[in-house]
């Protein structure tokens, strides 16, 4: 009846991978465990025999600039993501998103790796990472590989990683260049589970009054975190003006799959809030892009 | 593994599946860390790991390797003083109520101060966002942290609470006094039931039906019995005494037997006691039960239809409750305007942070007789009713059962019914060993009685000038599978359904219905929460139709001295409603200026709009309706000069212990610190009756007062005889009896009394003024409390999101005996009303519970706390102690309609179904259905 039999505190990624491979029964990687442990306790996750804890692996707890990228270890507690000056400078959307996940106690143990690994299509951290163009680093006994964010998912709540063979090591984010900005917003309801009714991450590249390029990530708008590519294309190369927004929303609604969730939100409300969030999030990202623009001059 | 706890090195091996909270509580016996939900929602289990607050309920103990852990028990040591400034500030400010969340609050706050010695309110709220307090003393918690922070930075003394005293001639009554149990609650020393451990104790679990309506065809417990470690598995066939329990009607089966009817998902079919909780849980899965499923009755309206399946022998109608005054037909004919509307309120859960726990401990009598006694350790609102129900189930005389009440982590009406008491006693009786039965949060949500879901139709007739002529209401109340206090609750809903107003014609009909939903029973507000929402919404709708100021409309109809209520009761005294209206109205207009009910744009955000809303309410004190309402109390003097006051009345965090301490200290003229309070022990304390209906300050307060007076007279008589003086010449001053210029310490009188064969104690049974049953006219209640609240909301017109910014509350409580406790009641009441309006929705679909985890049932957090401005209005009631009447419920009742009326004023969207649905607001505003506000 215990929800695990063996708990392995891994010292290194190698050690963790070997522990996973050697486990007798079902095994899972655990970091903060704030989702996994409750899923196990409440029967939403099939029982496991072994939990391999990666939170004490030094490499996975690193948060640093590496060449022209920002590396955030998958086991970095969200509190550090929120407080990091580097994240604030290069990934404002992620800082905002991480600050909204759970409460302060949860953010002391919960990690970005867990937020992505749990594979919910509206996970705040994952939506921000997607908008920021992050890539994930994955380790297995045969080596390391990199993958774009959406490749980590096979469906709602289903990670594409092989549970017994692969570990999410961390995330690489492009450093912010001149004229770039990002933002994250979400809408909640005060009743029921504290998962966003709808959330959105936006990244823009700006030159004077024109949007050079944009990335828009939305959840839940499909089985996995959603990129609004048609809307992004519509924005690219155009002067930014409010009159543009209805067409952008239309483009999103053409691609996104908004569903009705009982006791949470109707699909109609999600469609409605999509326009509201787009305006707020895009504005915030746009302003930030200008700020840096000004500063560097 | 090795780690340190509170500075001490610990070497211990982590167990499979073990969380840090298990290790701390069960193996290190550091029980200051509390478990409120076990699902990372409530924050009660917060401890510091390497200086950072984490939730120990979801932190595998194996992770503690090499870490340094700080729990509430170690905090004082860190500061080097007897108490950390945070602990001291929580005590002095009155931030401690039931105390269950307090270790988590203090540890979270301590971590904040370590990082940020000078936090502002926003930073405190961010840090405490997920550390829930159901007494909801959030504003006081915030003030305590701010005060502690400045002491931690600069040293010196706390500024202390800024709460007004009651005024009046009393020496200690009405003055600020910290709770007698506050110190133990801030240090983690306070023991709640689950913190107790007895040698040889077994752990019990209950097999719940899990189906809403069925006939049990077969129960097979053989596999469970065979599981190693299982000590007993019992079914209905094993109950030695009565099979049914209940508070008014014995209709609730302790266990549903073969051939019997399951009426809700929480019904018990078997109980298990085992060496560990884990084994007991495992055994549950080995119990096989076959059901023949029956069609489900899922709401009160359906339950009344002739085709509905009948759930009890007497049918589905628990009671048809009627109120009649004048002739409403005639009244509507005389009316110049008639409005009619139907409102819906959902079921809600008390969500006290301490889940139910009970320990039954069998004892051989000291005489060595064969007959066992049973001790029941439990936090219960009605210890004597527990004793009776346990004794009935065991088939024993009540004297063989002793209920020993424990500290209670909140109740709010949800700990009046039997939870695990009967089951634990049955298992202890069968095994001869102590048995602990702890509900987890899931079981707590599934099993205990809720607030009644209602449908309320209001038809209101008035003259053009706003004078009410006739009010007709029709209520359907869903009392769920069993009666609990349903009849009483819905009677209160019905009698209060025309609001705190006088009208010549009133008619109310309520159908209290059985369904296959969880039982509904007592919950702070006791039915009036629901009917106040309907009638106060309707009053605002009438004001709108008549183009009258909502405050003015209420003024014109408000109950006042000399008014006749809808049940035919003349109010002869203590009606502070008009003063409450004036106080709140003046403050609201001072803050809002101009027209508080006109929508104003929020500064800096074109999409947000603000407005105020207003609501009034009244609520009876005491049982009323002809029920004998009495309480016993006993006061004893000891040789060391200390006094003890004893009553079985319950302390659930509301502050009765402080009230009793102050009253006895006042009467005996001793410092309050010299008065101990013992409550809730059926062997040692006289029956105080149920702690319900806002009655204890009044009834037990009076009993304690009279008992103290009797003891004082007995002391005076003793001294008068010894010194040969008239007793009137004996004075009591500061713990001394003054006789002829001599001062004799009170403690010395004990010996004198005993030498003369007198006991140094006095008991008193107080009977509240007689009341009449509904329908007979006259006094249905011996007192009413009154309240008015105004709420300012901000609504996002695009998303429909609602925030409450400020609440002004005025409560007529007769006399504020315990102003610090009253502050906690007012703030907590407002927050509970806010939750009722905005966050809380206990969802049951076809008898199956959707909100079966705290994650799905949200209660308000500190981040949702508005500024709360409180006015205490004191219109004394002659029979109350020092003029006091009830407080506990009235403080919460007007909040919901004040908020929903404010939403209407801000947006034009009328909320007629709770909780407020932001999607509904957004949809209405988008479609243009609403939004033309203040135009006509």
């Amino acid at each position: 009846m215990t929800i695990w039999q063996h708990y392995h505190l891994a010292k290194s990624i190698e050690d963790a991978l070997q522990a996973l491979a050697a486990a007798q029964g079902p095994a899972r990687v655990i970091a903060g465990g704030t989702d996994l442990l409750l899923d196990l306790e409440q029967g939403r996750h099939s029982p496991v025999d072994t939990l391999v804890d990666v939170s004490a692996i030094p490499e996975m707890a690193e948060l640093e600039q590496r060449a022209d990228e920002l590396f955030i270890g998958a086991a970095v507690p969200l509190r550090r993501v929120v407080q990091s000056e580097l994240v604030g400078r290069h990934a404002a959307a992620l800082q905002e998103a991480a600050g909204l996940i759970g409460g302060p106690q949860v953010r002391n143990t919960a990690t970005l790796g867990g937020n992505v690994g749990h594979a919910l299509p509206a996970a705040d951290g994952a939506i921000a990472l997607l908008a920021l163009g992050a890539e994930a680093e994955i380790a297995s006994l045969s080596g390391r590989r990199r993958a774009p964010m959406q490749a980590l998912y096979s469906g709602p709540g289903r990670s594409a990683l092989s549970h017994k063979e692969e570990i999410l090591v961390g995330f690489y984010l492009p450093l912010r260049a001149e004229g770039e900005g990002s933002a994250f917003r979400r809408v909640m309801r005060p009743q029921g589970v504290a998962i966003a009714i709808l959330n959105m991450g936006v990244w823009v590249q700006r030159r004077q009054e024109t949007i050079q390029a944009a990335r828009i990530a939305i959840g839940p708008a499909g089985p996995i975190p959603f990129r609004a590519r048609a809307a992004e294309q519509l924005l690219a190369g155009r002067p930014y003006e409010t009159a543009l927004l209805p067409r952008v929303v239309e483009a999103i609604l053409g691609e996104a799959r908004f569903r009705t969730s009982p006791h949470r939100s109707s699909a109609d409300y999600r469609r409605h809030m999509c326009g509201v969030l787009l305006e707020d999030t895009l504005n915030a990202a746009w302003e930030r892009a200008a700020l840096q623009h000004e500063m560097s001059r | 593994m090795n780690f340190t706890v509170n500075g001490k090195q610990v070497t211990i091996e982590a167990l499979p599946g073990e969380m840090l909270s298990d290790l701390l509580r069960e193996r290190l016996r550091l029980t200051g860390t509390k478990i409120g939900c076990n699902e990372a929602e409530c924050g009660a289990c917060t401890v510091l790991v390497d200086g950072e607050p984490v939730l120990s309920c979801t932190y595998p103990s194996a992770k503690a390797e090499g870490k340094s852990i700080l729990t509430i028990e170690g905090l004082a040591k860190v500061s080097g003083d007897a108490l950390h400034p945070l602990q001291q500030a929580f005590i002095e400010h009155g931030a401690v109520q039931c105390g269950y969340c307090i270790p988590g609050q203090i540890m979270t706050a301590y971590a904040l101060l370590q990082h940020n010695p000078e936090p502002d309110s926003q930073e405190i709220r961010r840090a405490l966002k997920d550390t829930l307090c159901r007494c909801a003393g959030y504003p006081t918690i915030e003030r305590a942290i701010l005060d502690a922070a400045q002491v931690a930075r600069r040293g010196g003394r706390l500024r202390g609470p800024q709460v007004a005293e009651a005024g009046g001639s009393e020496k200690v009554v009405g003055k600020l006094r910290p709770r007698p149990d506050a110190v133990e609650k801030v240090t983690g020393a306070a023991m709640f039931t689950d913190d107790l451990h007895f040698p040889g104790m077994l752990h019990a679990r209950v097999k719940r039906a899990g189906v809403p309506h069925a006939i049990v065809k077969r129960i097979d417990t053989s596999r469970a019995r065979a599981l190693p470690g299982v000590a007993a598995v019992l079914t209905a066939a094993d109950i030695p005494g009565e099979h049914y329990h209940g508070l008014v009607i014995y209709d609730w089966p302790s266990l549903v037997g073969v051939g019997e009817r399951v009426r809700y998902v929480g019904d018990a079919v078997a109980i298990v006691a085992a060496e560990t909780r884990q084994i007991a849980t495992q055994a549950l899965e080995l119990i096989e039960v076959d059901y023949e499923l029956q069609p489900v009755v899922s709401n009160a309206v359906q339950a009344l239809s002739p085709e509905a399946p009948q759930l009890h022998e007497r049918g589905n109608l628990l009671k048809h409750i009627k109120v009649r005054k004048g002739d409403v037909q005639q009244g509507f004919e005389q009316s110049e305007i008639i409005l009619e509307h139907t409102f819906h309120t959902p079921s809600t859960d008390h969500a006290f942070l301490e889940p139910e726990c009970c320990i039954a401990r069998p004892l051989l009598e000291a005489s060595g007789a064969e007959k066992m006694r049973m001790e029941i350790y439990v936090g219960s609102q009605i210890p004597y009713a527990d004793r009776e129900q346990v004794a009935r189930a065991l088939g024993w005389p009540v004297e063989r059962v002793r209920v020993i009440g424990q500290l209670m982590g909140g109740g709010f009406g949800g700990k009046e019914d039997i939870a695990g008491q009967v089951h634990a006693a049955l298992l202890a009786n069968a095994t001869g060993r102590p048995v602990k039965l702890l509900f987890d949060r899931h079981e707590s949500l599934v099993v205990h009685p809720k607030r009644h879901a209602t449908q309320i139709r209001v038809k209101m007739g008035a003259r053009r000038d706003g004078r009410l002529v006739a009010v007709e209401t029709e209520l359907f109340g869903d009392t769920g599978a069993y009666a609990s206090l349903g009849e009483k609750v819905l009677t209160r809903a019905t009698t209060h359904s025309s609001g705190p107003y006088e009208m010549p014609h009133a008619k109310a009909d309520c159908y209290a219905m059985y369904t296959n939903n969880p039982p509904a029973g007592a919950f702070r507000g006791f039915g009036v929460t629901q009917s106040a929402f309907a009638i106060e919404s309707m009053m605002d709708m009438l004001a709108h139709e008549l183009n009258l100021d909502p405050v003015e409309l209420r003024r014109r109809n408000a109950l006042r001295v000399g008014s006749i209520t809808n049940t035919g009761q003349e109010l002869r005294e203590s009606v502070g409603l008009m003063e409450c209206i004036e106080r709140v109205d003046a403050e609201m207009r001072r803050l809002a200026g101009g027209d508080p009910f006109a929508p104003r744009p929020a500064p800096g955000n074109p999409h947000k709009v603000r407005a105020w809303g207003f609501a009034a309410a009244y609520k009876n004190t005491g049982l009323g309706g002809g029920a004998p309402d009495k309480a016993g109390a006993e006061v004893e003097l000891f040789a060391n000069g200390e006094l003890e006051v004893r009553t079985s009345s319950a302390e659930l965090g509301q502050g009765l212990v402080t009230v009793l301490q102050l009253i006895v200290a006042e009467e005996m003229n001793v410092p309050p610190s010299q008065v101990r309070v013992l409550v809730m022990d059926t062997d040692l304390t006289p029956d105080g009756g149920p702690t319900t209906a806002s009655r204890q300050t009044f009834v037990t307060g009076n009993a304690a007062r009279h008992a103290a007076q009797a003891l004082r007279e007995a002391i005076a008589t003793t001294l008068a005889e010894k010194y040969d003086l008239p007793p009137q010449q004996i004075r009591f001053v500061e713990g001394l009896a003054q006789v002829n210029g001599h001062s004799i310490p009170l403690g010395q009188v004990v010996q004198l009394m005993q030498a003369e064969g007198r006991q140094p104690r006095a008991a008193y049974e107080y009977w509240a003024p007689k009341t009449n049953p509904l329908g007979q006219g006259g006094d249905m209640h011996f007192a009413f409390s009154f309240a008015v609240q105004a709420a300012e909301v901000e609504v996002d017109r695009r998303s429909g999101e609602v925030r409450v910014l400020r609440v002004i509350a005025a409560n007529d409580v007769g006399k504020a005996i315990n102003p610090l406790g009253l502050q906690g009641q007012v703030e907590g009441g407002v927050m509970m009303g806010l939750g009722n309006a905005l966050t809380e929705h206990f969802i049951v679909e076809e008898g199956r519970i959707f909100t079966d985890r705290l994650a799905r049932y949200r209660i308000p957090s500190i981040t949702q706390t508005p500024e709360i401005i409180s006015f205490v209005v004191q219109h004394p009631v002659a029979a109350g102690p020092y003029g006091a009447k009830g407080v506990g419920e009235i403080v919460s009742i007007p909040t919901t309609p004040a908020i929903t009326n404010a939403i209407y004023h801000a947006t034009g969207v009328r909320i007629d179904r709770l909780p407020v649905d932001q999607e509904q607001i957004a949809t209405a505003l988008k479609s243009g259905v609403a939004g033309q506000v203040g135009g006509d």
Side-chain angles (χ1 to χ4, degrees), chain B residues 154-167:
Chain B
R154 292 198 287 264
R157 301 185 51 160
L158 293 164
R159 295 196 186 104
Q162 305 297 309
V163 175
E165 296 182 344

Side-chain angles (χ1 to χ4, degrees), chain B residues 15-199:
Chain B
L15 299 175
E18 184 186 55
M19 299 298 181
L20 179 57
S21 57
D22 301 330
L23 192 159
L24 292 170
R25 288 179 51 80
E26 305 299 328
R27 294 208 281 159
L28 301 181
R29 295 249 171 270
L30 292 169
T31 53
T33 299
K34 303 300 179 198
I35 298 299
C37 66
N38 238 338
E39 46 166 310
E41 287 291 327
C42 78
C45 66
T46 302
V47 301
L48 270 53
V49 174
D50 287 347
E52 299 296 344
V54 303
L55 301 173
S56 61
C57 77
T58 39
Y59 189 90
S61 64
K63 283 171 93 97
E65 168 74 48
K67 300 279 203 302
S68 158
I69 290 159
L70 184 68
T71 72
I72 188 73
E73 290 93 344
L75 184 61
K77 216 186 313 168
V78 172
S79 71
D81 288 316
L83 291 174
H84 186 275
L86 276 166
Q87 293 170 314
Q88 195 62 45
F90 269 62
I91 295 171
E92 283 188 30
H93 282 263
V96 179
Q97 298 184 54
C98 85
Y100 200 76
C101 74
I102 294 300
Q105 302 286 355
I106 291 181
M107 295 313 289
T108 312
Y110 173 74
L112 169 69
L113 297 191
Q114 292 303 104
H115 292 296
N116 178 1
E118 200 167 354
D120 62 22
S121 289
Q122 282 315 311
E123 289 164 331
I124 291 172
R125 286 170 174 232
R126 272 203 293 276
L128 267 57
K129 169 181 171 278
D130 280 358
T131 311
L132 302 175
C133 173
R134 187 56 157 169
C135 303
Y138 293 129
T140 308
I141 288 172
E142 188 180 310
R143 288 190 292 269
I145 295 171
L146 287 169
D147 201 357
Q150 62 94 14
V151 168
R153 287 195 307 275
R154 292 198 287 264
R157 301 185 51 160
L158 293 164
R159 295 196 186 104
Q162 305 297 309
V163 175
E165 296 182 344
S169 58
E170 292 83 10
K171 285 195 167 152
V172 293
V173 157
K175 303 286 191 289
L176 304 192
R177 174 79 198 165
R179 296 175 60 94
D181 56 13
V183 173
E184 55 186 276
K185 284 177 174 175
V186 299
T187 58
M191 300 292 270
F192 295 78
T193 310
D194 187 34
D195 303 333
L196 300 176
H197 181 86
F198 292 102

